């Protein structure tokens, strides 16, 4: 019943341009209320860093993140979209990182839009897992650079034409939620799942102590993922031919005599 599709869905999008781990790092030359002067080795091209994030990593203003809204290559001065809370100065160390990746033309339709899926969405590029928070045609973007290198992966340099595979992730989800998702995403509608029994078994025997956080970054058979989930939860599941529903039962140990 569960193997009519793979989870996550196979995708064949590729990067339209390089995506670096860090675009620029070093020490600022100066700072203003809404500006920061990048190191002398920064790009001399106007607008080169527009839309990227500048993160103050150490010293004055450390911990602040801002999006670059304008950049003058000749002076290395970057304007940020929101004024600094603490103005950086010539001691401030910084990093500049991308906040988006662009897919080859026409490939964006294969990737879920977080605005409509209602889920946290991730992609894998090389070995790096990236959470994206918005999609616009063939562009996947994220709010800040902390959303790169998720699920224990490392931030990496990626080249144009590197593959971008959609992932399927669950973050602090109940066992029944993951089980229902696996059924649904393989093509089995709620009408064929005993939702009341799933909820009852989870509430009675599992609950918050068995919340699942996991990421599947290669397309797999849903039945294999479902079987792994059942083993982890010490549960059984089967198709009931009379009720025409998938059932779930948590295999709990016998209670001690009192």
């Amino acid at each position: 019943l569960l193997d009519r599709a793979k989870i996550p869905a196979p995708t064949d999008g590729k990067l339209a341009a390089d995506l670096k781990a860090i675009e620029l790092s070093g020490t600022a030359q100066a700072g203003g209320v809404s500006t920061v002067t990048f190191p002398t080795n920064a790009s001399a091209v106007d607008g080169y860093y527009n839309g990227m994030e500048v993160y103050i990593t150490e010293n004055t203003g450390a911990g602040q993140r801002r999006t670059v809204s304008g950049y003058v290559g000749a002076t290395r001065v970057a304007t940020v979209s929101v004024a600094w809370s603490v103005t950086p100065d010539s001691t401030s160390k910084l990093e500049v990182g991308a906040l988006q990746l662009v897919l080859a033309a026409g490939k964006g339709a294969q990737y879920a839009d977080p605005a409509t899926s209602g889920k946290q969405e991730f992609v894998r590029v090389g070995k790096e897992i990236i959470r994206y928070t918005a999609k616009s045609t063939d562009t996947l973007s994220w709010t800040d650079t902390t959303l790169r290198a998720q699920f224990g992966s490392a931030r990496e340099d990626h080249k144009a034409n590197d593959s971008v595979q959609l992932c399927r992730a669950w973050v602090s989800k109940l066992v029944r939620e993951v089980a229902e998702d696996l059924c649904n995403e393989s093509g089995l509608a709620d009408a064929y799942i005993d939702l009341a029994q799933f909820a009852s078994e989870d509430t009675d025997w599992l609950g918050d102590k068995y919340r699942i956080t996991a990421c599947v970054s290669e397309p797999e058979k849903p039945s294999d993922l479902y079987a792994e989930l059942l083993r982890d939860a010490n549960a059984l599941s089967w198709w009931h031919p009379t009720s025409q529903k998938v059932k779930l039962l948590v295999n709990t140990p016998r209670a001690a005599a009192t």
Side-chain angles (χ1 to χ4, degrees):
L1 287 173
L2 298 185
D3 288 341
R4 290 173 287 178
K6 288 195 172 183
I7 297 175
T11 50
D12 64 0
K14 297 182 184 298
L15 291 177
D18 292 353
L19 174 64
K20 295 179 182 179
I22 298 173
E23 283 284 343
L24 174 71
S25 63
T27 303
Q29 298 185 69
V33 174
S34 298
T35 64
V36 59
T37 305
F38 287 165
T40 56
N41 64 334
S43 174
V45 177
D46 288 347
Y48 183 87
Y49 300 103
N50 288 3
M52 297 187 189
E53 176 191 82
V54 55
Y55 170 46
I56 308 300
T57 60
E58 295 180 44
N59 303 329
T60 305
Q64 297 178 99
R65 299 176 184 274
R66 297 291 188 271
T67 302
V68 177
S69 58
Y71 177 71
V72 179
T75 61
R76 276 42 172 194
V77 173
T79 301
V80 294
S81 56
V82 177
W84 300 106
S85 300
V86 177
T87 302
D89 59 24
S90 59
T91 70
S92 303
K93 293 186 180 298
L94 59 81
E95 290 181 355
V96 180
L99 292 177
Q100 66 177 35
L101 63 82
V102 181
L103 300 161
K107 296 297 184 179
Q110 300 178 33
Y111 300 81
D113 186 342
T116 55
S117 72
K119 301 169 184 174
Q120 293 188 20
E121 301 292 353
F122 299 80
V123 289
R124 177 179 52 79
V125 188
K127 295 182 179 179
E128 182 183 1
I129 308 294
I130 302 171
R131 180 186 170 196
Y132 64 98
T133 55
K135 183 182 87 164
S136 177
T137 315
D138 297 318
T139 300
L140 309 180
S141 60
W142 42 95
T143 52
D144 63 70
T145 55
T146 64
L147 299 182
R148 293 191 63 175
Q150 297 286 293
F151 289 97
S153 64
R155 199 187 299 189
E156 301 174 339
D157 287 332
H158 307 290
K159 298 292 186 181
N161 293 318
D162 282 356
S163 295
V164 181
Q165 171 59 52
L166 182 68
C167 300
R168 181 65 176 95
W170 295 271
V171 179
S172 192
K173 294 295 185 181
L174 296 169
V175 168
R176 69 170 179 83
E177 292 177 308
V178 179
E180 290 166 11
D181 280 349
L182 291 173
C183 290
N184 290 158
E185 291 173 28
S186 65
L188 198 62
D190 281 350
Y192 298 102
I193 305 169
D194 193 333
L195 297 175
Q197 187 191 35
F198 273 48
S200 174
E201 288 293 303
D202 200 339
T203 299
D204 289 347
W205 304 110
L206 300 173
D208 284 340
K209 292 183 180 179
Y210 287 82
R211 285 188 175 272
I212 303 293
T213 295
C215 179
V216 182
S217 65
E218 289 279 2
E220 296 188 33
K221 290 169 59 177
S223 61
D224 289 344
L225 296 171
Y226 195 65
E228 183 179 350
L229 176 67
L230 294 173
R231 286 193 297 271
D232 288 346
N234 194 28
L236 307 171
S237 188
W238 68 99
W239 173 256
H240 194 286
T242 303
S243 66
Q244 294 285 289
K245 292 181 184 290
V246 174
K247 300 278 189 173
L248 178 72
L249 181 69
V250 178
N251 188 22
T252 58
R254 180 177 298 175
T258 56

Short mmCIF file of all heavy atoms in Angstrom, two decimals, residues 99-132:
data_model
loop_
_atom_site.label_atom_id
_atom_site.label_comp_id
_atom_site.label_asym_id
_atom_site.label_seq_id
_atom_site.Cartn_x
_atom_site.Cartn_y
_atom_site.Cartn_z
N LEU A 99 21.86 34.00 1.13
CA LEU A 99 20.56 33.68 1.72
C LEU A 99 19.63 33.02 0.71
O LEU A 99 18.42 32.96 0.92
CB LEU A 99 19.91 34.94 2.28
CG LEU A 99 20.59 35.59 3.49
CD1 LEU A 99 19.86 36.87 3.88
CD2 LEU A 99 20.64 34.62 4.67
N GLN A 100 20.21 32.52 -0.38
CA GLN A 100 19.36 31.85 -1.37
C GLN A 100 20.21 30.98 -2.29
O GLN A 100 21.43 31.14 -2.38
CB GLN A 100 18.59 32.86 -2.21
CG GLN A 100 19.47 33.73 -3.09
CD GLN A 100 18.69 34.68 -3.97
OE1 GLN A 100 17.65 35.20 -3.57
NE2 GLN A 100 19.18 34.94 -5.17
N LEU A 101 19.54 30.05 -2.94
CA LEU A 101 20.15 29.32 -4.04
C LEU A 101 19.19 29.40 -5.22
O LEU A 101 17.97 29.51 -5.04
CB LEU A 101 20.45 27.87 -3.66
CG LEU A 101 19.32 26.91 -3.30
CD1 LEU A 101 18.63 26.33 -4.53
CD2 LEU A 101 19.84 25.79 -2.42
N VAL A 102 19.74 29.39 -6.41
CA VAL A 102 18.94 29.49 -7.62
C VAL A 102 19.07 28.19 -8.40
O VAL A 102 20.19 27.72 -8.68
CB VAL A 102 19.36 30.68 -8.50
CG1 VAL A 102 18.48 30.76 -9.75
CG2 VAL A 102 19.28 31.98 -7.70
N LEU A 103 17.93 27.59 -8.73
CA LEU A 103 17.91 26.36 -9.51
C LEU A 103 17.92 26.66 -11.00
O LEU A 103 17.57 27.77 -11.42
CB LEU A 103 16.64 25.57 -9.18
CG LEU A 103 16.46 25.14 -7.72
CD1 LEU A 103 15.00 24.80 -7.45
CD2 LEU A 103 17.35 23.94 -7.41
N ALA A 104 18.32 25.67 -11.78
CA ALA A 104 18.24 25.82 -13.22
C ALA A 104 16.81 26.12 -13.62
O ALA A 104 15.85 25.68 -12.98
CB ALA A 104 18.73 24.54 -13.90
N ALA A 105 16.64 26.89 -14.67
CA ALA A 105 15.33 27.39 -15.08
C ALA A 105 14.30 26.28 -15.22
O ALA A 105 14.56 25.23 -15.82
CB ALA A 105 15.46 28.14 -16.40
N GLY A 106 13.13 26.51 -14.62
CA GLY A 106 12.01 25.59 -14.74
C GLY A 106 11.98 24.45 -13.76
O GLY A 106 11.03 23.66 -13.76
N LYS A 107 12.98 24.34 -12.88
CA LYS A 107 13.05 23.21 -11.96
C LYS A 107 12.37 23.47 -10.62
O LYS A 107 12.14 22.55 -9.84
CB LYS A 107 14.52 22.82 -11.73
CG LYS A 107 15.24 22.31 -12.97
CD LYS A 107 14.61 21.03 -13.48
CE LYS A 107 15.38 20.47 -14.67
NZ LYS A 107 14.78 19.21 -15.17
N GLY A 108 12.04 24.72 -10.33
CA GLY A 108 11.50 25.06 -9.02
C GLY A 108 10.20 24.36 -8.67
O GLY A 108 9.90 24.13 -7.49
N ALA A 109 9.42 23.98 -9.69
CA ALA A 109 8.12 23.34 -9.44
C ALA A 109 8.25 22.02 -8.70
O ALA A 109 7.30 21.56 -8.07
CB ALA A 109 7.39 23.13 -10.77
N GLN A 110 9.41 21.40 -8.72
CA GLN A 110 9.61 20.11 -8.06
C GLN A 110 9.77 20.24 -6.54
O GLN A 110 9.73 19.23 -5.83
CB GLN A 110 10.85 19.40 -8.62
CG GLN A 110 10.81 19.11 -10.10
CD GLN A 110 12.09 18.45 -10.57
OE1 GLN A 110 12.72 17.69 -9.84
NE2 GLN A 110 12.49 18.75 -11.79
N TYR A 111 9.97 21.45 -6.07
CA TYR A 111 10.32 21.67 -4.66
C TYR A 111 9.14 22.29 -3.91
O TYR A 111 8.53 23.25 -4.38
CB TYR A 111 11.57 22.55 -4.56
CG TYR A 111 12.75 21.91 -5.25
CD1 TYR A 111 12.90 22.00 -6.63
CD2 TYR A 111 13.67 21.16 -4.53
CE1 TYR A 111 13.95 21.37 -7.28
CE2 TYR A 111 14.74 20.53 -5.17
CZ TYR A 111 14.86 20.64 -6.55
OH TYR A 111 15.91 20.00 -7.18
N ALA A 112 8.85 21.73 -2.76
CA ALA A 112 7.71 22.19 -1.96
C ALA A 112 7.90 23.65 -1.53
O ALA A 112 9.03 24.09 -1.26
CB ALA A 112 7.55 21.30 -0.74
N ASP A 113 6.80 24.36 -1.46
CA ASP A 113 6.82 25.75 -0.98
C ASP A 113 6.40 25.74 0.48
O ASP A 113 5.28 25.34 0.82
CB ASP A 113 5.84 26.59 -1.81
CG ASP A 113 5.91 28.07 -1.47
OD1 ASP A 113 6.42 28.42 -0.39
OD2 ASP A 113 5.43 28.88 -2.28
N PRO A 114 7.27 26.18 1.41
CA PRO A 114 6.91 26.18 2.83
C PRO A 114 5.64 26.97 3.13
O PRO A 114 4.93 26.66 4.09
CB PRO A 114 8.13 26.82 3.51
CG PRO A 114 9.24 26.66 2.55
CD PRO A 114 8.63 26.71 1.19
N ALA A 115 5.35 27.97 2.31
CA ALA A 115 4.16 28.81 2.55
C ALA A 115 2.87 28.02 2.34
O ALA A 115 1.84 28.35 2.93
CB ALA A 115 4.18 30.02 1.62
N THR A 116 2.91 26.99 1.52
CA THR A 116 1.70 26.19 1.26
C THR A 116 1.76 24.80 1.85
O THR A 116 0.74 24.21 2.14
CB THR A 116 1.45 26.09 -0.26
OG1 THR A 116 2.62 25.57 -0.90
CG2 THR A 116 1.15 27.46 -0.85
N SER A 117 2.97 24.26 2.06
CA SER A 117 3.07 22.90 2.62
C SER A 117 2.79 22.88 4.12
O SER A 117 2.36 21.87 4.67
CB SER A 117 4.46 22.31 2.36
OG SER A 117 5.45 22.93 3.17
N GLY A 118 3.05 24.01 4.79
CA GLY A 118 2.88 24.06 6.24
C GLY A 118 3.94 23.28 7.00
O GLY A 118 3.78 23.00 8.19
N LYS A 119 5.05 22.93 6.32
CA LYS A 119 6.10 22.13 6.93
C LYS A 119 7.43 22.85 6.83
O LYS A 119 7.60 23.77 6.03
CB LYS A 119 6.22 20.78 6.21
CG LYS A 119 4.95 19.95 6.21
CD LYS A 119 5.08 18.77 5.26
CE LYS A 119 3.76 17.99 5.20
NZ LYS A 119 3.80 16.93 4.17
N GLN A 120 8.38 22.43 7.65
CA GLN A 120 9.74 22.89 7.49
C GLN A 120 10.33 22.14 6.29
O GLN A 120 10.30 20.91 6.26
CB GLN A 120 10.57 22.63 8.75
CG GLN A 120 10.13 23.45 9.95
CD GLN A 120 11.09 23.33 11.12
OE1 GLN A 120 12.24 22.95 10.98
NE2 GLN A 120 10.60 23.65 12.31
N GLU A 121 10.86 22.87 5.32
CA GLU A 121 11.34 22.26 4.09
C GLU A 121 12.87 22.36 4.00
O GLU A 121 13.46 23.37 4.37
CB GLU A 121 10.71 22.93 2.86
CG GLU A 121 9.19 22.86 2.82
CD GLU A 121 8.66 21.44 2.60
OE1 GLU A 121 9.47 20.52 2.34
OE2 GLU A 121 7.42 21.26 2.68
N PHE A 122 13.47 21.28 3.49
CA PHE A 122 14.92 21.18 3.42
C PHE A 122 15.35 20.63 2.07
O PHE A 122 14.61 19.89 1.42
CB PHE A 122 15.45 20.22 4.50
CG PHE A 122 15.16 20.63 5.92
CD1 PHE A 122 13.90 20.40 6.48
CD2 PHE A 122 16.12 21.23 6.70
CE1 PHE A 122 13.63 20.77 7.80
CE2 PHE A 122 15.86 21.61 8.02
CZ PHE A 122 14.61 21.38 8.56
N VAL A 123 16.57 20.98 1.66
CA VAL A 123 17.20 20.37 0.49
C VAL A 123 18.61 19.93 0.88
O VAL A 123 19.20 20.43 1.84
CB VAL A 123 17.28 21.33 -0.71
CG1 VAL A 123 15.90 21.58 -1.30
CG2 VAL A 123 17.97 22.65 -0.34
N ARG A 124 19.11 18.97 0.11
CA ARG A 124 20.50 18.53 0.27
C ARG A 124 21.29 18.92 -0.98
O ARG A 124 20.90 18.59 -2.10
CB ARG A 124 20.60 17.02 0.48
CG ARG A 124 22.04 16.51 0.58
CD ARG A 124 22.10 15.01 0.83
NE ARG A 124 21.30 14.28 -0.13
CZ ARG A 124 21.68 14.00 -1.37
NH1 ARG A 124 22.84 14.44 -1.83
NH2 ARG A 124 20.89 13.30 -2.17
N VAL A 125 22.41 19.63 -0.77
CA VAL A 125 23.33 19.96 -1.84
C VAL A 125 24.68 19.39 -1.43
O VAL A 125 25.23 19.78 -0.40
CB VAL A 125 23.44 21.48 -2.07
CG1 VAL A 125 24.27 21.77 -3.33
CG2 VAL A 125 22.07 22.13 -2.17
N GLY A 126 25.21 18.45 -2.21
CA GLY A 126 26.38 17.72 -1.74
C GLY A 126 26.01 16.95 -0.50
O GLY A 126 25.05 16.18 -0.49
N LYS A 127 26.73 17.19 0.59
CA LYS A 127 26.40 16.55 1.87
C LYS A 127 25.74 17.54 2.84
O LYS A 127 25.41 17.17 3.96
CB LYS A 127 27.67 15.97 2.51
CG LYS A 127 28.28 14.83 1.72
CD LYS A 127 29.50 14.25 2.44
CE LYS A 127 30.10 13.09 1.67
NZ LYS A 127 31.30 12.53 2.35
N GLU A 128 25.56 18.78 2.39
CA GLU A 128 24.99 19.80 3.27
C GLU A 128 23.47 19.83 3.17
O GLU A 128 22.89 19.85 2.08
CB GLU A 128 25.54 21.18 2.90
CG GLU A 128 25.02 22.29 3.81
CD GLU A 128 25.49 23.67 3.42
OE1 GLU A 128 26.23 23.79 2.41
OE2 GLU A 128 25.12 24.64 4.12
N ILE A 129 22.81 19.87 4.34
CA ILE A 129 21.36 20.01 4.43
C ILE A 129 21.04 21.46 4.74
O ILE A 129 21.57 22.03 5.70
CB ILE A 129 20.75 19.11 5.52
CG1 ILE A 129 21.20 17.65 5.36
CG2 ILE A 129 19.23 19.23 5.52
CD1 ILE A 129 20.69 16.99 4.11
N ILE A 130 20.18 22.07 3.91
CA ILE A 130 19.81 23.48 4.08
C ILE A 130 18.30 23.57 4.26
O ILE A 130 17.54 22.98 3.49
CB ILE A 130 20.22 24.32 2.84
CG1 ILE A 130 21.73 24.20 2.59
CG2 ILE A 130 19.81 25.78 3.02
CD1 ILE A 130 22.17 24.82 1.28
N ARG A 131 17.88 24.31 5.27
CA ARG A 131 16.45 24.59 5.43
C ARG A 131 16.12 25.87 4.68
O ARG A 131 16.76 26.91 4.90
CB ARG A 131 16.08 24.75 6.90
CG ARG A 131 14.59 25.04 7.07
CD ARG A 131 14.20 25.34 8.49
NE ARG A 131 12.84 25.84 8.55
CZ ARG A 131 12.31 26.47 9.59
NH1 ARG A 131 13.03 26.67 10.69
NH2 ARG A 131 11.06 26.90 9.55
N TYR A 132 15.16 25.81 3.77
CA TYR A 132 14.71 27.03 3.09
C TYR A 132 13.33 27.41 3.60
O TYR A 132 12.52 26.56 3.93
CB TYR A 132 14.74 26.87 1.57
CG TYR A 132 13.81 25.84 0.97
CD1 TYR A 132 12.58 26.21 0.44
CD2 TYR A 132 14.17 24.50 0.91
CE1 TYR A 132 11.72 25.27 -0.13
CE2 TYR A 132 13.32 23.55 0.34
CZ TYR A 132 12.11 23.94 -0.18
OH TYR A 132 11.26 23.01 -0.73
#
